[in-house]
Each structure stands twice: as structure tokens, then as C-alpha cells.
Amino acid sequence: TPRPPAFGWPDDAATEEAVTPPPAPIIVVNVASVDRLTTDLAYLFQTIERPDITDYLVGMLAYAGDLKGIDRTPPFGMMLFMDGLTPRPTPVGFFPVTDVSEFIETISLAQVVVQESIDGANRYTITGGDGPPMHMHLAQDYVYITPDEDFVPTNLPNPQTYNAALTSRYDLSVAVRIQNVSETVRNVFVTFLEAGAQAELQQRDGEPEAEYLMRRANGVSTLEFITQLLREGDQILLGIDASSERKTGVLEINMDAVPGSEFASLLANVSGTQTSFAPLLNDGAPFSISGAWKMNERDQTGGRDMAVGDQLAIAREEPELGVEGGPIDRLFDSVLATIEDGQIDFFAQFASPA
């Protein structure tokens, strides 16, 4: 059964021939639009009483020819592609255009030369400065700019459709699509990472036991997390959105896992655990942060080693407090009991003066 269209590219279900899917980017940087970005930035700078920054940005746009030739309402940004066992990352910038001639005039302000290719076909070469030449293509009402001479944009998903979810939610967003990197490449990277970490996790000559325990616990925990992220992670998303209508500014960091994986269960424990400090959350406070999650076995093992290392280090620095049954023992008895219970819950808030 032919695969249905997912991101706006044509579906050749009417034919029996196998359809090669378009390449999938591993990183997407998406800006909702020129107009939306400038409006929301102006609101943020007005909120912090820095309208001079807005004036500076307006001046920069004027210096750039007010971005003539660029459509100021659709999204723009960059996609990074990677293909092959020894992949070479290929960045591709995408910019919506209303008039390609005016767009060329605008980018020529950067002291570059834009020349149409001999074969035409909406292909251009950008040269200037000491960098390599860039290649520009016109397709789907967008200009695509990339250093890859062999790049062909006609088989790409339309950025406006492909990034619709990002555009609707954020002014600016960065998405790392982990599963779009081939499994072979991810496994090779994990193998190199594990091999390099083994030497670093050994105790060094003359290294105190406390420092070694803390360093090793942190290293093992980090290595296991990165390994799990690369093998079972789906996407990491950073998004920023400001709104003068809602009078809010939001920074979101989301992490998604492959459904049914152990990593998905771990993230479900984070997002599904209620914090005891929920009644203290207040949208009127300048800044609040709260977190609650259940520790898995890896976190508990690393947490115990870190706590023991900290206890030894503090007792060495403050021997009068490190006596058996003393303040340090009582403090870390509580810490270790929390780790054994496996429930972490914290809250911090900055309050405005009355």
C-alpha cells in the first residue's frame, strides 16, 4: 500500500511505481515570519523598557533594504540534512519571496555577486568574500540557499506545510529530529562515545576517592542518558513565543521519545508526576520553576554515588562536622532516603517586591 502524503509533497498513489520519499531534515530552525518576529520582539523590548533595541533593529532592516523581495508573512529558516554512512551535513536556508529580482538586490547589499546559472532553471550562484560559493534555487515560492552544488530543491517538502506545527506555536523554534539520522550512524556514534568514555571513567593517579566517585557517577549517568537519547529519542524541541495580546513570553523545551521505548516511559514519569508545590505556582510571579519526577534505576545509582562522594568531600573539608552521627551524616541520610524513595520534587520562585 503506497504511503499517504505526510508533509505536503505529492502522492503518486495512482501509479504502481515506488515513490522515493523526500529527504528528512535532522535539524530545523524555523521563524514564524518576518512580521510576527519583529512585532513580538518589539513587545518584549518594550516590556523590559528597552525600546532603543527595537529602534536599532528597525535601522538594521532599513540598512538591509527593508528586506525587499522577501514575503514577510510565511515562515523562513534553515534545514540541515544528512545522508550516508559517512554523512556530510548539508545546510539549506529557505526564504519566501515575492520577487526574485528584488530579493537578489537585497542580498547583493552584503557585497556578494549573484549570477544566474548557464542552464537557467531558476538556479543561481552567489559569490563574494573568502567563503565558498553558495547556490540558490527558486521553487515552491521559496528561495533555497545552500553550499551544496548538487542540491535539488524540487523533491523537498514545502517549508510552509512541513513546519506548520512549529509556525503555529512559536515565533522562533529549533527542532532536532533524532530519528531522521540513520540508525547506523547513531550506533556508530554511540560506539565511539562509549569507547572514549571508558578511559575517562577510570580513577586517575592521585585522585581522591570522593572526587572519583562524583566524577564517575556523573560520567556514567551522562553517557547512559546520551546513549538512550540517541537510540530511543525522537525529537528535541526548543521554542520561543511572545504575544502582546496575551501579554506573555514563553520558552519551551520539549523532548519526545520513540513510543513504547524505555526512554518514553522515563519521560512519562517526568511529565506524569505531580508536584507537591503546585499551589505555589503563580503566573503573576516574575519567574517560577518547579519539577517532579520518579527516578529510574540509573538515576538512583548515579544519585547514590554522587551523594556518597559529596559526603566524603564535605567531611574532609569540615572534619568537625563529619563525625559519625553529626550534621553531615544527618543531612546525607535525608538525601539518600530521598534517592531510595525515588521521588524528586523541587520548587523555586522569584517574587516581586510588594
mmCIF file of all heavy atoms in Angstrom, residues 11 71 107 117 129 152 184-185 227 243 248 270 284 317:
data_model
loop_
_atom_site.group_PDB
_atom_site.id
_atom_site.type_symbol
_atom_site.label_atom_id
_atom_site.label_comp_id
_atom_site.label_asym_id
_atom_site.label_seq_id
_atom_site.Cartn_x
_atom_site.Cartn_y
_atom_site.Cartn_z
ATOM 1 N N ASP A 11 1.489 12.801 -3.776
ATOM 2 C CA ASP A 11 1.295 11.382 -3.570
ATOM 3 C C ASP A 11 1.095 10.721 -4.928
ATOM 4 O O ASP A 11 0.192 11.080 -5.676
ATOM 5 C CB ASP A 11 0.080 11.158 -2.662
ATOM 6 C CG ASP A 11 -0.186 9.690 -2.431
ATOM 7 O OD1 ASP A 11 0.757 8.905 -2.593
ATOM 8 O OD2 ASP A 11 -1.337 9.357 -2.080
ATOM 9 N N ASP A 71 8.828 37.768 1.169
ATOM 10 C CA ASP A 71 7.452 37.748 1.669
ATOM 11 C C ASP A 71 7.513 37.760 3.190
ATOM 12 O O ASP A 71 8.109 36.862 3.810
ATOM 13 C CB ASP A 71 6.742 36.489 1.170
ATOM 14 C CG ASP A 71 5.237 36.545 1.396
ATOM 15 O OD1 ASP A 71 4.792 37.305 2.272
ATOM 16 O OD2 ASP A 71 4.512 35.827 0.680
ATOM 17 N N ILE A 107 20.042 40.819 -1.219
ATOM 18 C CA ILE A 107 21.214 40.083 -0.724
ATOM 19 C C ILE A 107 22.509 40.635 -1.323
ATOM 20 O O ILE A 107 23.585 40.459 -0.744
ATOM 21 C CB ILE A 107 21.087 38.575 -1.003
ATOM 22 C CG1 ILE A 107 21.029 38.287 -2.502
ATOM 23 C CG2 ILE A 107 19.883 37.989 -0.293
ATOM 24 C CD1 ILE A 107 21.032 36.796 -2.805
ATOM 25 N N SER A 117 22.668 30.701 -13.373
ATOM 26 C CA SER A 117 23.418 29.602 -13.970
ATOM 27 C C SER A 117 23.186 29.548 -15.479
ATOM 28 O O SER A 117 22.164 30.037 -15.996
ATOM 29 C CB SER A 117 22.994 28.269 -13.349
ATOM 30 O OG SER A 117 23.265 28.265 -11.965
ATOM 31 N N GLY A 129 33.556 37.504 -0.995
ATOM 32 C CA GLY A 129 34.327 37.249 0.218
ATOM 33 C C GLY A 129 35.242 36.059 0.048
ATOM 34 O O GLY A 129 35.551 35.616 -1.057
ATOM 35 N N VAL A 152 19.130 19.673 -5.085
ATOM 36 C CA VAL A 152 17.960 19.908 -5.938
ATOM 37 C C VAL A 152 16.748 20.079 -5.027
ATOM 38 O O VAL A 152 16.380 19.142 -4.306
ATOM 39 C CB VAL A 152 17.727 18.736 -6.909
ATOM 40 C CG1 VAL A 152 16.484 18.995 -7.757
ATOM 41 C CG2 VAL A 152 18.945 18.520 -7.797
ATOM 42 N N THR A 184 22.260 3.397 11.660
ATOM 43 C CA THR A 184 23.670 3.014 11.554
ATOM 44 C C THR A 184 24.583 4.134 12.031
ATOM 45 O O THR A 184 25.520 3.906 12.799
ATOM 46 C CB THR A 184 24.011 2.660 10.098
ATOM 47 O OG1 THR A 184 23.180 1.582 9.657
ATOM 48 C CG2 THR A 184 25.476 2.261 9.969
ATOM 49 N N VAL A 185 24.303 5.348 11.598
ATOM 50 C CA VAL A 185 25.123 6.493 12.008
ATOM 51 C C VAL A 185 25.020 6.709 13.507
ATOM 52 O O VAL A 185 26.026 6.952 14.192
ATOM 53 C CB VAL A 185 24.701 7.756 11.240
ATOM 54 C CG1 VAL A 185 25.400 8.987 11.811
ATOM 55 C CG2 VAL A 185 25.026 7.617 9.753
ATOM 56 N N THR A 227 23.310 7.929 25.345
ATOM 57 C CA THR A 227 23.102 6.704 24.580
ATOM 58 C C THR A 227 21.618 6.418 24.394
ATOM 59 O O THR A 227 21.156 6.099 23.290
ATOM 60 C CB THR A 227 23.771 5.516 25.292
ATOM 61 O OG1 THR A 227 25.177 5.760 25.391
ATOM 62 C CG2 THR A 227 23.534 4.217 24.548
ATOM 63 N N SER A 243 3.728 37.241 22.994
ATOM 64 C CA SER A 243 2.448 37.732 22.492
ATOM 65 C C SER A 243 2.035 38.986 23.240
ATOM 66 O O SER A 243 1.890 38.962 24.468
ATOM 67 C CB SER A 243 1.371 36.648 22.658
ATOM 68 O OG SER A 243 0.092 37.155 22.349
ATOM 69 N N THR A 248 2.363 37.672 27.302
ATOM 70 C CA THR A 248 3.193 36.584 27.826
ATOM 71 C C THR A 248 4.429 36.401 26.950
ATOM 72 O O THR A 248 4.451 36.773 25.774
ATOM 73 C CB THR A 248 2.425 35.240 27.847
ATOM 74 O OG1 THR A 248 1.969 34.939 26.515
ATOM 75 C CG2 THR A 248 1.242 35.306 28.791
ATOM 76 N N VAL A 270 8.376 11.730 34.156
ATOM 77 C CA VAL A 270 8.659 13.141 34.424
ATOM 78 C C VAL A 270 7.402 13.968 34.227
ATOM 79 O O VAL A 270 7.011 14.774 35.083
ATOM 80 C CB VAL A 270 9.786 13.649 33.501
ATOM 81 C CG1 VAL A 270 9.972 15.152 33.679
ATOM 82 C CG2 VAL A 270 11.078 12.916 33.798
ATOM 83 N N GLY A 284 1.617 35.312 38.090
ATOM 84 C CA GLY A 284 1.969 36.709 38.324
ATOM 85 C C GLY A 284 3.387 36.898 38.807
ATOM 86 O O GLY A 284 3.904 38.023 38.814
ATOM 87 N N GLU A 317 36.631 18.351 54.180
ATOM 88 C CA GLU A 317 36.852 19.789 54.317
ATOM 89 C C GLU A 317 36.413 20.308 55.692
ATOM 90 O O GLU A 317 36.980 21.275 56.198
ATOM 91 C CB GLU A 317 36.074 20.537 53.215
ATOM 92 C CG GLU A 317 36.539 20.251 51.794
ATOM 93 C CD GLU A 317 37.939 20.752 51.546
ATOM 94 O OE1 GLU A 317 38.328 21.775 52.149
ATOM 95 O OE2 GLU A 317 38.670 20.114 50.753
#
